[in-house]
Amino acid sequence: MQTKVDAVGRITGQWGKWQLRTVLLIFLCKIPSSWFMACIIFTAPAPRHGEFFCKPPNTVGAQNQTQWIKVSHPQKEETEDQEFNIDFCNVYQDAQEHAHHYYNYEHSEQEPRIWEKPLNRNSNVIPCTEFQHQSSYHSVVTQYDLVCSRDILVSVTQFFHLFGVLTGGILANQLLKYFSPRNVMLFGMITQIFCGNLTGHVASYELHVFFRCLSAVCCAQMYTAGGMIMADITGGKYRTCVSTLFEQFWSIGVMMLPGVASFWSSWSHLYMAISWPTVILIYLWQWIPDSPRWLIARGRVQDAKKILLQCADVNGTRYSLPHDIDQQLELQAQTAMDAPPPSGWWSMWKGERAVRHIICVHLAWSLYIVVYYGMLLNIRSFSREHLYINTFFAGLSEMIGTFIGLFLIMKTTRKWLWTGLFNMVAGCIAYCGWLVPKPGVIPFDANVALLMCSAMVSKMAISTTLSILTTCTVELVSDDKKKITSFSTICWARFWLLGAPFIGSTIFLGQLVPQTAFASLAICGGICTSLISSPRTHPISRPASPTAQGAQNMASASQFTIIDGMDNKGYTPSSKPIISSNKIRKLTTPQSNLPPQLMPGIWTTKINEDGPPM
């Protein structure tokens, strides 16, 4: 019987010290990636009332900023508290003329009192075009005047970052056809340092968004290539855990970001602080191996063999290697190169309940990833004074959600239904933010805490679903369709992710409007995931009897070693039975190229004819 050859998997095993070291090093790539995504929380905080005003003309000799503000800026009535506040975004059309009336005196004592209104004042107002800032923190907002009508440009900067994530993932998949994952990772690390530093030091807004987009492209290359290496060297339940927990280091990065930002009083310095730590990753890169499967698929068998021998040395399995390892690797390389082309996009729509599953999983990806990032960035609306602690708890809620998702994957059969119901309930809790009393009724800190609780429950539920989507989407299709399905869902999701910053910008309609929109999307996503069904990720295996275990080991040995095209002569059953009840016989020939019998936890390469029965 001709079977699929997987010499790499049999040599590396599902898990070991070598895999643990590699996985932890790749996990670290998620930390700078999360910093670049979430740094907008600290590089562009919402300005406080009075931190900016319309810049007076140079011809006006105004020395007192307060007097200039009273002369030039109109007052507006707030609908919520019916109080009058200064409108810093607009100025009186004749402000310059009346400023001359107030300030064009040789001596300050000759100036009229500020509360005296000028005669025949024109009440027409016009938008201010240039602002003067007096904030203690030098931010993107103060650098590029991103206030009033230009406030939408804060969302545009985040749009270009997310556009870089989309294009970076597509570019990484194309580069991985010609360059090894390890080299793609290194290229992403080096260019990320370069582009990240330039992002914080360019003079114009246009160059800032350009380099921010390039920085996101570099980050996407790092973790896309790293994810490929991890998937190739792990197996079974360990691969599931690695794929799910990969997002944990993203959350760890979010939790670390407030501490990093607290050391700097300028957004330019913060970009340097999140760019240069990647130098440490470049140093650690020497211990990250390349993907042996990628090398074998390109015919580089000897390069793959070096990596596999290193794996065996670290894991302590060097003496368990088959003596015909070169032949098996050559056969796997030939099989990979002779394999048919991968399945196309239309193929994933064919199969039992395929249309329903593919539609629902695409909708779920697009809805949840928008809410996932949008809810994180929306904490800017919950008070600037609590920005650091709120960001920390947002990352913590993501971590808890990921662990809940891993539990549902490993321990439940109806994981899609449970995560859908979780998001529906959490979305309703997010609606309860409208019931939180105003700061005048309860203390301001209590108001912020209750709003954060209503939002973070939904954040936790969304993280739970994303961990399931990341790990279990490919369960909905056959093995030959997994690659195209994963690529399709991620690209689809990242395309819709581009709109997340603009949903957050609806805060001008009300503080809780963005949260309400995200909660509605989460409930819709919960309905979609509830319509998905797939088998248990890791079925519960019943313990086998010793006799059945021995028969299973013999069958496994035959399945993996009797392959068309290999020298199997000399495979003759002995007349002496090993286990008489099942008529299981051992291989008897010293010239055999086959691995010996597989016993639980034992794989040797020599057979002792005179040894005791197994």
Side-chain angles (χ1 to χ4, degrees), residues 366-375 496-497 500 503 518 521:
S366 59
L367 291 170
Y368 281 116
I369 201 167
V370 168
V371 181
Y372 179 79
Y373 290 103
M375 289 285 272
W496 289 105
L497 178 60
I503 297 178
F518 290 131
L521 293 178

Side-chain angles (χ1 to χ4, degrees), residues 573-586 613-614:
S574 171
S575 59
K576 182 180 178 180
I578 302 292
I579 303 176
S580 58
S581 60
N582 291 280
K583 306 298 182 184
I584 300 176
R585 304 175 184 274
K586 65 179 180 178
M614 297 183 184

Side-chain angles (χ1 to χ4, degrees), residues 241-540:
C241 293
V242 166
S243 176
T244 306
L245 298 179
F246 194 19
E247 294 301 317
Q248 289 289 44
F249 275 72
W250 178 281
S251 303
I252 291 174
V254 173
M255 296 169 65
M256 293 173 60
L257 184 58
V260 176
S262 64
F263 289 102
W264 313 103
S265 59
S266 171
W267 71 280
S268 299
H269 297 158
L270 179 57
Y271 264 104
M272 294 179 62
I274 65 177
S275 300
W276 283 110
T278 309
V279 174
I280 301 175
L281 297 181
I282 295 177
Y283 173 75
L284 298 175
W285 173 82
Q286 59 185 315
W287 288 289
I288 298 178
D290 226 329
S291 169
R293 299 182 192 276
W294 188 93
L295 296 172
I296 287 178
R298 272 82 182 164
R300 297 168 57 179
V301 176
Q302 293 305 314
D303 293 335
K305 181 182 176 182
K306 293 179 182 178
I307 296 174
L308 296 175
L309 292 178
Q310 181 188 19
C311 169
D313 289 336
V314 176
N315 288 345
T317 58
R318 184 65 177 263
Y319 295 103
S320 301
L321 296 177
H323 62 278
D324 59 344
I325 179 175
D326 292 294
Q327 185 178 1
Q328 293 189 30
L329 293 177
E330 289 286 353
L331 180 61
Q332 181 171 348
Q334 188 62 41
T335 304
M337 288 186 286
D338 294 341
S343 300
W345 187 79
W346 291 106
S347 64
M348 66 181 180
W349 298 89
K350 300 176 182 178
E352 184 181 359
R353 293 182 293 183
V355 174
R356 188 187 79 183
H357 282 166
I358 296 302
I359 291 177
C360 288
V361 79
H362 276 76
L363 288 176
W365 264 105
S366 59
L367 291 170
Y368 281 116
I369 201 167
V370 168
V371 181
Y372 179 79
Y373 290 103
M375 289 285 272
L376 175 62
L377 301 179
N378 191 52
I379 63 174
R380 296 172 66 237
S381 64
F382 296 149
S383 164
R384 180 171 167 180
E385 288 73 16
H386 300 82
L387 204 56
Y388 292 89
I389 188 66
N390 287 351
T391 304
F392 176 84
F393 278 106
L396 181 62
S397 65
E398 291 178 5
M399 291 189 66
I400 297 174
T402 304
F403 280 121
I404 296 175
L406 181 60
F407 173 80
L408 295 177
I409 293 171
M410 304 297 291
K411 300 297 182 180
T412 65
T413 303
R414 308 183 70 179
K415 51 184 176 289
W416 296 104
L417 176 61
W418 293 124
T419 189
L421 294 176
F422 187 16
N423 276 276
M424 294 181 198
V425 174
C428 294
I429 294 176
Y431 285 150
C432 295
W434 291 96
L435 304 178
V436 175
K438 299 297 180 181
V441 180
I442 61 175
F444 180 68
D445 293 342
N447 172 267
V448 175
L450 290 175
L451 290 176
M452 278 292 295
C453 288
S454 66
M456 290 304 104
V457 174
S458 182
K459 190 82 171 69
M460 190 184 305
I462 294 159
S463 299
T464 299
T465 306
L466 268 185
S467 63
I468 295 177
L469 286 170
T470 303
T471 306
C472 304
T473 294
V474 294
E475 294 178 2
L476 305 176
V477 294
S478 56
D479 290 344
D480 59 317
K481 304 173 186 176
K482 288 183 177 180
K483 185 175 182 180
I484 185 61
T485 302
S486 177
F487 182 75
S488 175
T489 52
I490 292 177
C491 289
W492 170 264
R494 290 178 178 174
F495 171 77
W496 289 105
L497 178 60
L498 300 177
F502 300 103
I503 297 178
S505 64
T506 58
I507 189 175
F508 73 92
L509 299 174
Q511 183 185 24
L512 295 177
V513 171
Q515 179 171 320
T516 304
F518 290 131
S520 302
L521 293 178
I523 293 175
C524 294
I527 297 173
C528 292
T529 51
S530 300
L531 298 176
I532 302 174
S533 60
S534 64
R536 191 184 180 104
T537 304
H538 298 286
I540 301 176

